[in-house]
Amino acid sequence: MPAPSKTENVRKRCDCAKWKTCEHPWYLDYQRGKDHRCKPVRYRDNLDKLIDRHCSDFASAKDEARRAITAKLEGRDPRGLVPTDEPTVADLLAAFTAEKPRNNRWQVGRINATNVPTPDGLRAFGNVRAHIVTPDTLKAFRLQRPLVAGNRDLALLRATFNWAVLRGFLPRSPFRIGDVPAVRLAREEARTRRLQAGEDARLLDAAGSLRGLILAAVETGCRVGELLSLQWHQVRFSPRAEIFLPAQKTKAKRDRRVPISTELRKVLDARRSDPAGEFIPADGYVFGDEIGRQRHSVKTAWRLTCQRANLTDLHFHDLRREAGSRWMDAGIPLATIQRWLGHANIAQTSTYLGASHGADELDMRMFEERIGRIALVTHSDAKCGTKGSEPTSTDTAANEIAQQNAIKQGPTDVVH
């Protein structure tokens, strides 16, 4: 071990030849004046525990040791930030997450571990001092991440740097130069994948244990996480048949209710009992295992299902779009679809869905009938057909138009 004077108040207690880069914890090595008992005041704390992380290199450990010693001398928690600390990106992300916690900030670890260029060479982004981050650093970071994930990471980093500027930890944000944005999120092409003719049948035939979950996704438009966390006490049949999703289980952090269709009711009835015929308790999971224990992921099962069904480029989340698009095709008001899907605003719903093109011809025919370009097909003609016996293709179209009009006008009878 080098002499204490050369380690700048940080050291290790291991005998590793490459102690500067080994995984053993760092320790403070600091001594100041004497206390009231005339004994020297020494700091020999475990630095990793003081700052809640392990410094991967000697330079970072020396920086963190200075910060920790200053904090201890001032009577502060070494994990807390002050404007004079020159925090790292990891420090800012940790402080921002602690002040504004969210359950879906899983990307923090990946942000910290991504290597970016610095004046000292490539370093993990989390170990880079925040004040030396430039727009070029962020652009280099974005190149290391996939398009969608990179946009989510940059959005979090932008919010974190803005928060740090407001709190006085940084003089500026690297996302802006003056009043001009210096780093913009990459353009994302919205997914439009829907189930084509015959794909839904193939998917269900190959689904196996996922069949109920897939049907529920198409019938409710719920996200896979919302379905896997669904418990039986959230399934209600009185005063109305609905699934209740509390705010803590939704992405928007708002309560949501989705009505139960007849198809979904069959799925729920089939899963209500365990193999012994006993009802699964209220805290059991609807789409868990056979006795109601939670399943945390279906990624592998979904991938194998798509392979068996010979389906390509189909994500489980596409079933949510399929559900909303089917509702829209059937004439359900957009505001109702927004409420069922749990979107924050109706604009998000309108851009999210993809209506089928099968009804375009019928919609154009209805338009031309209304403005008098073509003759309106009467109810008797639609019923009997122009030949008086079998309906023709024109009569079939007329029937479909009548059905669409009935859907758009809404039901006349209310079933309680």
Side-chain angles (χ1 to χ4, degrees):
M1 188 76 179
S5 60
K6 296 181 180 179
T7 63
E8 297 188 28
N9 305 123
V10 64
R11 61 177 297 174
K12 287 190 176 181
R13 296 179 179 176
C14 64
D15 296 324
C16 298
K18 298 183 178 180
W19 61 272
K20 290 185 178 181
T21 56
C22 74
E23 294 298 321
H24 293 100
W26 298 95
Y27 286 85
L28 295 182
D29 184 18
Y30 179 73
Q31 178 176 320
R32 58 188 299 259
K34 298 181 179 180
D35 59 14
H36 64 283
R37 295 174 296 178
C38 295
K39 292 186 177 181
V41 178
R42 294 177 177 174
Y43 294 143
R44 299 291 187 268
D45 308 75
N46 185 317
L47 182 60
D48 292 15
K49 292 182 179 179
L50 279 180
I51 64 175
D52 268 349
R53 65 186 182 87
H54 176 73
C55 298
S56 60
D57 54 56
F58 187 41
S60 298
K62 291 190 292 185
D63 292 341
E64 295 300 333
R66 285 194 295 269
R67 291 180 61 250
I69 291 170
T70 301
K72 291 176 72 68
L73 292 175
E74 295 176 355
R76 295 186 289 106
D77 185 347
R79 288 170 292 187
L81 293 179
V82 294
T84 58
D85 279 341
E86 294 186 356
T88 64
V89 172
D91 294 332
L92 288 184
L93 286 171
F96 178 73
T97 303
E99 184 168 316
K100 301 179 182 295
R102 280 179 56 178
N103 293 331
N104 59 345
R105 289 215 174 105
W106 50 266
Q107 72 264 46
V108 171
R110 295 186 181 180
I111 292 175
N112 291 336
T114 301
N115 290 326
V116 296
T118 67
D120 299 325
L122 285 178
R123 293 186 66 184
F125 198 20
N127 294 335
V128 176
R129 293 292 169 187
H131 72 276
I132 70 170
V133 175
T134 64
D136 290 337
T137 308
L138 295 172
K139 292 174 183 177
F141 168 81
R142 181 169 57 188
L143 293 176
Q144 307 300 316
R145 303 287 289 131
L147 175 63
V148 176
N151 276 348
R152 304 298 177 269
D153 294 346
L154 287 177
L156 174 57
L157 286 168
R158 181 172 58 190
T160 301
F161 277 102
N162 289 340
W163 168 84
V165 171
L166 292 176
R167 292 293 302 271
F169 299 135
L170 294 175
R172 58 170 181 81
S173 169
F175 283 85
R176 301 184 71 86
I177 299 177
D179 295 331
V180 180
V183 179
R184 297 180 182 273
L185 302 187
R187 180 180 178 84
E188 297 179 25
E189 294 296 333
R191 282 186 63 83
T192 58
R193 180 72 161 90
R194 287 192 57 185
L195 292 175
Q196 304 302 313
E199 287 187 341
D200 51 350
R202 284 156 47 197
L203 182 64
L204 291 176
D205 289 342
S209 62
L210 288 189
R211 181 182 176 86
L213 186 68
I214 292 172
L215 284 171
V218 174
E219 293 296 320
T220 65
C222 289
R223 300 174 179 88
V224 62
E226 294 169 342
L227 291 174
L228 293 180
S229 66
L230 183 67
Q231 295 173 279
W232 280 107
H233 64 78
Q234 297 173 238
V235 180
R236 302 172 178 178
F237 297 104
S238 178
R240 62 183 66 86
E242 65 181 13
I243 289 175
F244 172 69
L245 300 171
Q248 63 269 24
K249 289 189 176 183
T250 65
K251 183 178 179 180
K253 302 305 177 186
R254 297 178 182 176
D255 292 347
R256 187 162 102 246
R257 292 172 172 81
V258 182
I260 297 176
S261 66
T262 54
E263 288 297 318
L264 180 59
R265 180 65 182 265
K266 297 175 184 177
V267 173
L268 296 175
D269 289 343
R271 303 187 66 88
R272 191 64 184 92
S273 303
D274 61 19
E278 300 292 334
F279 276 172
I280 296 175
D283 60 350
Y285 290 89
V286 178
F287 297 102
D289 63 9
E290 58 185 7
I291 59 174
R293 293 177 301 191
Q294 186 177 15
R295 297 175 69 175
H296 296 282
S297 176
V298 293
K299 289 183 179 179
T300 301
W302 172 256
R303 176 175 54 81
L304 295 176
T305 297
C306 290
Q307 288 179 359
R308 291 192 296 268
N310 194 25
L311 298 177
T312 59
D313 191 34
L314 182 66
H315 301 173
F316 194 95
H317 195 76
D318 292 333
L319 302 182
R320 174 172 162 84
R321 181 183 303 102
E322 180 69 22
S325 299
R326 288 184 180 183
W327 296 333
M328 185 170 63
D329 289 343
I332 302 296
L334 198 58
T336 302
I337 298 176
Q338 173 201 355
R339 187 172 69 253
W340 290 354
L341 291 179
H343 286 155
N345 56 70
I346 204 165
Q348 182 181 7
T349 305
S350 61
T351 58
Y352 182 82
L353 302 181
S356 67
H357 301 292
D360 289 351
E361 181 181 357
L362 297 177
D363 290 337
M364 179 58 71
R365 182 181 295 275
M366 292 170 59
F367 164 72
E368 292 189 314
E369 286 178 352
R370 288 171 183 169
I371 65 175
R373 286 181 182 171
I374 60 177
L376 178 65
V377 180
T378 63
H379 177 70
S380 59
D381 291 339
K383 181 177 180 181
C384 300
T386 56
K387 296 182 180 180
S389 56
E390 296 181 359
T392 65
S393 59
T394 303
D395 302 325
T396 302
N399 282 329
E400 293 177 353
I401 292 172
Q403 292 174 4
Q404 281 202 350
N405 283 333
I407 291 173
K408 292 181 178 179
Q409 291 172 359
T412 55
D413 297 328
V414 178
V415 180
H416 295 283

